[in-house]
Structure formats: structure tokens, C-alpha cells
Amino acid sequence: MKLLEGKAVLVTGAGGGIGRDFALAMAAAGASVLVNDIGTSVKGEGSDAGPAQKVADEINDRFGGSGARAIANTDSVAHWESANNIVKTAVEAFGRLDVVVNNAGILRDRFFFNMSVEEWRAVIDVHLNGSFYVARAAAPHFKSQESGCYIHMTSTSGLVGNLGQANYSAAKLGIAGLSKSIALDMAKYHVRSNCISPFAWSRMIGSIPTETEDQKARVEKLKAMETAKIAPLAVFLASEEGRDVTGQIFAVRANEIFLMSQSRPLRSVHRAEGWTPETIGAHAIPALRAHFYPLERSQDVFSWDPL
Ligand code: NAI
């Protein structure tokens, strides 16, 4: 019996990149898959029904005979009504829903001091609000069937840091908080919720400049981070094998899988008489400073080549 035999999975943003490989791998593992994608640009401009349909057709061609089947859906995750329609379409087509993968995403990179309200809102709407809308729309089904699995895509841009991505970093760290809250609130209904922070060569990171020899060499190494390498962990989490894994944040980069830390106190200082601004400067800060985090970006922490 295949790992996801009989299960129904919904993958947002599955018309290309990492999401397409999620959809293909879930179907190969025996699941029925709703392939959602509005077919937009990296910036979230325009729409095209083609990508979602193409992936659904590919799944039906390759796996249709084994009982797996796929349907395409082009509703946006970024609005409550259309997000509800994604879930409704999956439930109506498959008669059930077992797994929600919140993967759809866009970028509107800009240094914070130049970022427009529109750029902020567009990214928050697709990533953070979209993840909430789709997850929330599926919650009544998961609650009543007393099972279900959420997989949300976060990013080291939020977990660690990155330049020029205030909107995206805030959304992706927000998604980590959303996932943990869902895991806590729905544990009693045997519903689990985890995050994956991927590193993968998709069109999203394909815009890195390749003018110098150094840049060309770097990009060649980044191409080793195939989008299909993220999918095995997602399939595991979606399966019964992953039933006791919840509230976690994983990162995947080519052949490496990481369990990421979650925020805990690092060190404390205490003065029985309480603190003044002066004693904080003279005592607390010197004691805590050794544990301060440097202003690191994702690439400073993941500083070695993908394996
Ligand atoms: P991608 O740009 O290839 O795929 C994103 C898909 O989402 C596109 O097909 C797009 O049409 C779709 N989409 C955008 N807005 C949508 C909306 N409102 N409703 C439905 N679909 C929508 O990007 P990639 O790299 O495959 O990214 C997938 C996820 O992984 C994203 O959440 C991204 O933030 C995350 N991620 C990717 C990393 C990477 O290294 N590629 C790094 C960290 C996170």
C-alpha cells in the first residue's frame, strides 16, 4: 500500500516550482491532488489558468491509472472567499480532505525605507493571510473528521534574516507562529501542523545576477538545490508515518534536512532590588551581550555549499 493511498491533498501554488513537485510526489504516493495556482508572475502580476491545468494533466497522465487523480483550481489564496472555494472544490471532488499544503507565494523585494504599502500588503496577503485563509477554511473538515495535516512554507529570510525583504520576512515568520498556534489549538483533534523552510532553485531565486565569474559559479551550485528534493519530507509529514510530528520547523536544502530552533530564553540576569536604566547599561547588557545575535542573513548561517 502506498503512503498516501486514499488521501486527498490540496497544494496551493502547485503550477510550478516546489509546489508542482509536491503535487507530483503526493500523487505518486497514491493521493488525489487538488492543484491550485493562479498562474501569476513572481511579483504576483497577471494570471493564467495554464500552469495548474498542465500539472493536473501531467498527474492524470502519469498516475491516473493507479487510482490517483488530480484536478486544477485557479482561485487565489489571497482572499477569504476564493480561499474557501479552493477547499470546497477539493472536498466536493474527492469527498474528503486530509492534507493542506500552503505553498503559494510571491516576492516584492525592496529595501525597507523604500517599500510601499502596496508592496507590503501584496506579500502579506498571499503568504500570511493566504495561509490563514486556506488553513482556516479546511479547519472544520479536519476538526469533524478528527484528523488532518497542515504543511506551511516558511523561509530563512524570516527565521534568520535577509536584506530587502521586510514584507516577505515578516510574512514567513508570521507563518511559523500561525503553524505553531494551529498545532496547539488542533492537537486534541489529532490535527498536526508543521513548517518547511525550503532552499530550491526555482524562478523565485532564479533572478540572481550572473555577470561575474564568481556569480556564475555560485548560481551553478545553487542549481543543485532541485525543487523535487523538498517533496519527500512533505510526503512523509502528510502520511500516517508522520502522525506524531507536529509544531516543528524543518529546512530542506538538496540532500540536507535540518530541524530549526524555536525561540527560547538564552540567558537571564536578575537584581533583587529591580533595574534602573543605569544598572541595565552597567550590568544587564554586558552580561547579555555575549549572547547577542549578530546581524546575520540566511546566507551567513547557511554558508556552505548545498550537499
Ligand atoms: P514559484 O514562484 O515557482 O511558485 C509559487 C507559485 O505560487 C506560482 O506558481 C504562483 O503562480 C503561485 N501563486 C502566487 N500567488 C498565488 C495566489 N494568490 N494564489 C494561488 N497561487 C499563487 O516559487 P517557489 O520557489 O516554488 O516557492 C514555493 C514556496 O516556497 C513559496 O511559499 C516560497 O515563499 C517558499 N520558499 C521558496 C524558497 C526557494 O528557495 N525557492 C526559499 C524559501 C521559501
Side-chain angles (χ1 to χ4, degrees):
M1 174 136 160
K2 291 183 175 171
L3 271 182
L4 300 182
E5 204 74 62
K7 289 199 186 285
V9 177
L10 175 174
V11 185
T12 69
I18 297 166
R20 172 180 170 273
D21 282 299
F22 282 163
L24 287 166
M26 299 280 182
S32 303
V33 184
L34 179 133
V35 178
N36 160 267
D37 205 301
I38 60 169
T40 191
S41 71
V42 175
K43 285 186 160 186
E45 289 158 344
S47 63
D48 177 0
Q53 192 58 54
K54 203 167 160 226
V55 174
D57 290 346
E58 189 179 348
I59 288 173
N60 288 326
D61 285 349
R62 285 171 62 179
F63 310 110
S66 69
R69 63 205 169 103
I71 55 163
N73 168 278
T74 55
D75 282 299
S76 173
V77 301
H79 306 281
W80 173 234
E81 293 75 18
S82 48
N84 266 278
N85 203 47
I86 303 172
V87 171
K88 190 166 158 258
T89 306
V91 172
E92 279 175 7
F94 306 133
R96 58 183 296 119
L97 184 61
D98 302 284
V99 181
V100 167
V101 185
N102 272 323
N103 167 80
I106 62 166
L107 289 180
R108 297 273 176 99
D109 292 359
R110 186 91 60 199
F111 279 112
F112 173 68
F113 42 84
N114 289 326
M115 186 171 285
S116 69
V117 171
E118 210 281 322
E119 287 163 339
W120 170 265
R121 279 207 185 117
V123 168
I124 297 288
D125 276 347
V126 175
H127 289 276
L128 184 56
N129 290 337
S131 294
F132 168 78
Y133 294 149
V134 179
R136 177 64 185 80
H141 301 280
F142 284 3
K143 185 168 172 268
S144 65
Q145 76 194 13
E146 297 212 6
S147 72
C149 166
Y150 291 106
I151 300 168
H152 317 271
M153 306 306 277
T154 184
S155 169
T156 57
S157 293
L159 301 170
V160 178
N162 206 6
L163 288 170
Q165 292 197 311
N167 46 7
Y168 183 72
S169 299
K172 288 308 206 186
L173 204 50
I175 286 172
L178 171 69
S179 175
K180 183 67 184 278
S181 297
I182 294 172
L184 286 167
D185 285 355
M186 298 197 74
K188 63 182 168 207
Y189 303 109
H190 313 289
V191 174
R192 50 199 200 278
S193 179
N194 294 285
C195 285
I196 299 178
S197 178
F199 295 84
W201 181 258
S202 72
R203 67 175 195 173
M204 208 177 249
I205 60 166
S207 53
I208 293 172
T210 52
E211 282 143 28
T212 66
E213 285 308 310
D214 272 5
Q215 284 171 340
K216 281 184 190 151
R218 178 158 177 260
V219 161
E220 277 317 303
K221 282 176 188 156
L222 295 179
K223 285 184 180 166
M225 308 187 304
E226 293 163 30
T227 52
K229 297 277 186 179
I230 318 295
L233 177 62
V235 172
F236 168 84
L237 290 171
S239 76
E240 289 309 307
E241 299 298 308
R243 63 186 165 272
D244 63 347
V245 182
T246 191
Q248 304 306 311
I249 304 170
F250 300 95
V252 183
R253 193 177 76 146
N255 296 326
E256 298 166 288
I257 295 181
F258 308 88
L259 177 65
M260 298 300 284
S261 61
Q262 298 188 34
S263 195
R264 297 289 181 276
L266 275 179
R267 153 139 221 208
S268 68
V269 285
H270 169 260
R271 261 177 112 97
E273 70 276 27
W275 296 94
T276 64
E278 289 76 18
T279 58
I280 288 173
H283 174 186
I285 296 299
L288 298 174
R289 189 181 296 281
H291 295 267
F292 278 13
Y293 288 98
L295 273 181
E296 284 169 333
R297 297 164 301 163
S298 172
Q299 68 191 71
D300 302 316
V301 172
F302 292 86
S303 53
W304 66 101
D305 289 342
L307 305 173

